[in-house]
Amino acid sequence: MPKSQPLSQSKERISNQNSVPAAAGMASLSSSPEGSALLKNSPPDAIQEESTTNPTVESTMSLSKAVSSNTPEAEDRPSISTAEPKDSNTAMPSIPKATRTLTLTTHFGDIFWAPPNTVLIHACNTQGSWGAGIAARFRSIYPEAYATYWRYCVKDHDPKTNPVPTGSCLLIPPCETGAKSRRHWIACLFTSAKYGKAKDKPNAILRNTGPAVKEMLQQVRDAKRDGKEIAGLWMCKINSARFAVPWARTVKVLEDIEVEEGCIGDIQVWGYE
Ligand SMILES: Nc1ncnc2c1ncn2[C@@H]1O[C@H](COP(=O)(O)OP(=O)(O)OC[C@H]2O[C@H](OP(=O)(O)O)[C@H](O)[C@@H]2O)[C@@H](O)[C@H]1O
C-alpha cells in the first residue's frame, strides 16, 4: 500500500497548455446517452418507498413497486368464457423491476491508496488541464493517463471549436509503464468546461455531474463485460474545492442517480475532511 501523502492544495498551476505530453495508449470509451429509467413504464399509481439501508454511512436506496391498474371492467369482458385466460397469472401486468440508486460510503484517507484495478474518479475541465488540486497529483502519478486525457481534449476534440461535451466521462484504463507505477483506472468526469475563474457556475457543474457519473457507470459496466478487471470505484470529493460546489450538493446529485442493470452501484468516497 502506498504511503499516505499530504493533500496537494498548491495554488500553483502546472503549465500544460503549450507542451504536448508524451504519447500513451488511447483509451477513450465511447459516450452514450443517459440510461433510461427502469420505471419509465410504471403505471401512474406506482407506490414509491424510500428507505435508508445503513444510517452509519451516507447511503440511500430507493425501491418502487407497482400496483395493477389495468384489470378490465366486468362489462368490457367478452361474454364467451373461453376468452378468459385459464391461468390467472397470464392476465397479470408485468411488475417493473425495482430501481436502485447510487450508494456512497465515506472513508478517511487518500484516494491513491486504492488497490490495483480500482477506478479513481475525479472532476475535470474540458481544456486538457490537470493543473492544480488533486488533478495535479493525478498528473504527476499517472503521466501517461494525463497524456491520454490531454490528447482527448486537445487533439481528438478542440477546446475552442469542438470541445469535449460537459456531462460526459473519459475512462482511462491502467496505462502507466513505469516499473513502480500504479495500476489504476482513471475516470475523468467533465463537470465543468473551464477552470479557475472561468469555471462553470455551481448549478451547471451539478447538472453536468449526474450524466457524467451515469456515463462512467456504463463505461465501467462495458469494460467489465469485455473481461477487464475492475476492483471497485473510489472517488474524491469531486467539485468541492477548486470547482467551489459544496460537497453536500454533489452528494445529493450522486445519491439520486439510478443504477442501471449490470452497473456497479457503490462508490467509496475518500478524503481528509
Ligand atoms: N489525495 C487525495 N485523496 C482524496 N482526496 C483528495 C486528495 N487530494 C485532494 N483531495 C480532495 O479532492 C477534492 C477535490 O478537490 P479539487 O479542488 O482538486 O477538485 P474539484 O473537483 O473541486 O475541481 C476540479 C478542478 O480542479 C483541478 O484543477 P484546475 O481547475 O485544473 O486548476 C482540475 O483540473 C479541475 O479543473 C477536495 O475535497 C480535496 O480535498
Side-chain angles (χ1 to χ4, degrees), residues 9-267:
Q9 293 294 342
S10 162
K11 293 224 163 45
E12 284 174 38
R13 166 171 295 283
I14 298 172
S15 164
N16 54 16
Q17 291 292 324
N18 299 324
S19 61
V20 179
M26 185 57 205
S28 158
L29 297 179
S30 65
S31 315
S32 54
E34 281 188 45
S36 56
L38 288 171
L39 281 176
K40 225 173 5 192
N41 299 322
S42 302
D45 55 351
I47 296 169
Q48 290 267 344
E49 284 180 10
E50 288 244 326
S51 70
T52 302
T53 53
N54 182 352
T56 62
V57 293
E58 296 172 25
S59 66
T60 328
M61 178 79 82
S62 300
L63 293 175
S64 301
K65 293 175 187 167
V67 175
S68 163
S69 66
N70 61 356
T71 306
E73 293 301 322
E75 58 269 27
D76 296 334
R77 292 179 186 173
S79 54
I80 305 166
S81 63
T82 51
E84 289 275 352
K86 291 223 168 90
D87 178 356
S88 60
N89 284 338
T90 58
M92 292 290 286
S94 62
I95 297 169
K97 288 174 191 152
T99 57
R100 61 185 172 125
T101 50
L102 203 56
T103 300
L104 305 179
T105 54
T106 51
H107 304 263
F108 185 85
D110 197 307
I111 193 172
F112 301 114
W113 292 346
N117 298 308
T118 302
V119 181
L120 309 186
I121 306 160
H122 71 137
C124 293
N125 58 73
T126 67
Q127 310 296 303
S129 168
W130 285 357
I134 196 169
R137 290 285 312 284
F138 272 99
R139 183 176 173 176
S140 71
I141 299 172
Y142 310 96
E144 287 161 87
Y146 171 69
T148 299
Y149 157 80
W150 181 89
R151 203 170 36 245
Y152 182 70
C153 294
V154 175
K155 294 288 178 198
D156 300 349
H157 290 80
D158 182 312
K160 288 207 170 73
T161 59
N162 176 31
V164 172
T166 51
S168 67
C169 171
L170 173 69
L171 180 64
I172 306 172
C175 61
E176 303 305 318
T177 52
K180 290 188 179 165
S181 55
R182 303 177 201 180
R183 190 178 165 77
H184 288 144
W185 296 73
I186 298 175
C188 307
L189 304 176
F190 294 104
T191 62
S192 168
K194 296 192 175 158
Y195 54 80
K197 285 190 180 146
K199 64 184 174 290
D200 286 2
K201 297 275 179 287
N203 285 347
I205 290 173
L206 288 167
R207 264 198 311 278
N208 295 333
T209 297
V213 171
K214 271 193 155 188
E215 195 173 289
M216 183 269 298
L217 296 177
Q218 291 164 348
Q219 292 178 353
V220 168
R221 178 194 58 198
D222 294 348
K224 282 180 73 179
R225 283 183 179 163
D226 286 349
K228 305 282 172 17
E229 197 180 338
I230 307 268
L233 308 180
W234 286 32
M235 180 186 265
C236 63
K237 292 184 176 172
I238 56 164
N239 305 332
S240 69
R242 278 171 179 78
F243 278 171
V245 179
W247 172 237
R249 296 191 67 194
T250 295
V251 167
K252 203 167 175 319
V253 170
L254 295 174
E255 290 188 332
D256 276 346
I257 292 174
E258 284 186 2
V259 178
E260 291 176 36
E261 216 171 329
C263 291
I264 295 175
D266 310 283
I267 294 182

